[in-house]
Amino acid sequence: MSTCSTVSQDLDEPIAGTAATATTWLLLEQSGPWGAKALTQSHLDPVLGRALEAAAKGTGVRVALIRRPGRHADCGTSAERRVYAAHTVPGNVWLHAATTHDPEQLLDLDFAALGRGDHHTFDSALQGRPHTGDPLALVCTNGKRDRCCALLGRPLAAELAASGVQGVWEVTHLGGHRFSPTLLVLPYGYAYGRAQAHAVKEVLHSVQEGRIVVEGCRGNSAWERPGQAAELAVRSAAGEYAAEALSVVGTVVRTDGAAPRWEVTVAHADGRHWRVVVAQGASLPPRPESCGASVLGSPARMDVTAVRELTAATALAS
């Protein structure tokens, strides 16, 4: 059976620079079935779902629903729900957890503050505390958005849970159906595609040691797509895998050619800087960008064309 994910893999579509963007993730446990627009098409009150969408708009916060792997019969909602908030910008990475019996409490949050990386509103409104368990492995399984997420994501989540991975959850949407199964790992916010259980376990083991696995990585959600690709390119070029070692500190757009091009400055915590040139290309030949698409498309791709370490004087001048 040909699906958007099999076509993407057969055509060897590049995966770097394709992660969903969010400086902060806000995750609410919601059992039962999910629709394509899960915040308003699930057992969550759709009025609350729309209010959460409105509150998060333009703040850098991305709201998603999560549930434990397994069967999802329409059996209502448990009284107590887990809630997580995670900020993914290097230098201020954190993951806090809470429980609530009333999801409307989430409307008491200061979403702008959360987007900036201030966790105090989460802690005060929900009695949140730093998460002390294993890293979270969020696997997209929402087949109502794309069948690949159900066909590939649900078996992956189930396999991880059955093998004892404590932090695995199903999540409503991570973008990039054609890279299924897709995965987001918190607290650091790196997304992965075409994920297999053995590779996910390696990723999670590395995260516990404060390291990032580059293979299969789509990018860090803290950055826009050109920055995601640039940061991963610097990691590979410099052999730097410490989780919070690199930050995207500047992006200049160049539109003098046929397609957008970016000059991205990536900084190391030790003071080194790199200038990375990223060009937007088109993935050819045209293909379905999702299984539900009625027309063929040429998805944008982020092509790194140059990585240059800057001298101290050049870095200061840029």
Side-chain angles (χ1 to χ4, degrees), residues 9 19 24 35 47 68 79 95 108 112 115 126 143 149 156 193 213 238 252 259 263 270 273 303:
Q9 186 157 14
T24 302
V47 174
R68 287 298 189 184
L95 172 60
D108 296 331
L126 298 170
C149 297
L156 173 62
V213 172
V252 177
E263 293 180 359
D270 66 10
H273 288 73
D303 293 322

Side-chain angles (χ1 to χ4, degrees), residues 80-138:
E80 186 174 79
R81 307 166 187 238
R82 296 290 290 177
V83 187
Y84 296 97
H87 190 63
T88 62
V89 178
N92 186 31
V93 169
W94 50 261
L95 172 60
H96 283 214
T99 59
T100 184
H101 291 83
D102 180 9
E104 289 198 5
Q105 286 186 300
L106 272 64
L107 295 178
D108 296 331
L109 299 174
D110 182 337
F111 281 76
L114 279 176
R116 295 192 301 268
D118 182 351
H119 57 71
H120 292 95
T121 176
F122 183 85
D123 296 347
S124 60
L126 298 170
Q127 288 73 57
R129 296 290 183 271
H131 174 65
T132 56
D134 291 343
L136 301 188
L138 307 171

Side-chain angles (χ1 to χ4, degrees), residues 284-302:
L284 298 173
R287 81 289 302 275
E289 295 189 46
S290 69
C291 288
S294 58
V295 296
L296 300 181
S298 300
R301 53 187 279 175
M302 297 290 112

Side-chain angles (χ1 to χ4, degrees), residues 234-299:
V234 171
R235 285 194 179 278
S236 295
E240 178 55 79
Y241 306 109
E244 295 188 74
L246 300 178
S247 294
V248 175
V249 297
T251 303
V252 177
V253 183
R254 305 293 188 189
T255 56
D256 48 353
R261 183 169 61 91
W262 298 266
E263 293 180 359
V264 182
T265 303
V266 177
H268 195 289
D270 66 10
R272 287 179 290 165
H273 288 73
W274 289 261
R275 181 69 44 76
V276 184
V277 178
V278 182
Q280 180 174 303
S283 295
L284 298 173
R287 81 289 302 275
E289 295 189 46
S290 69
C291 288
S294 58
V295 296
L296 300 181
S298 300

Side-chain angles (χ1 to χ4, degrees), residues 156 159-160 163 165 195-202:
L156 173 62
E159 182 179 354
L160 291 170
S163 65
V165 176
Q196 302 297 319
H198 65 89
V200 173
K201 292 175 183 178
E202 180 185 351

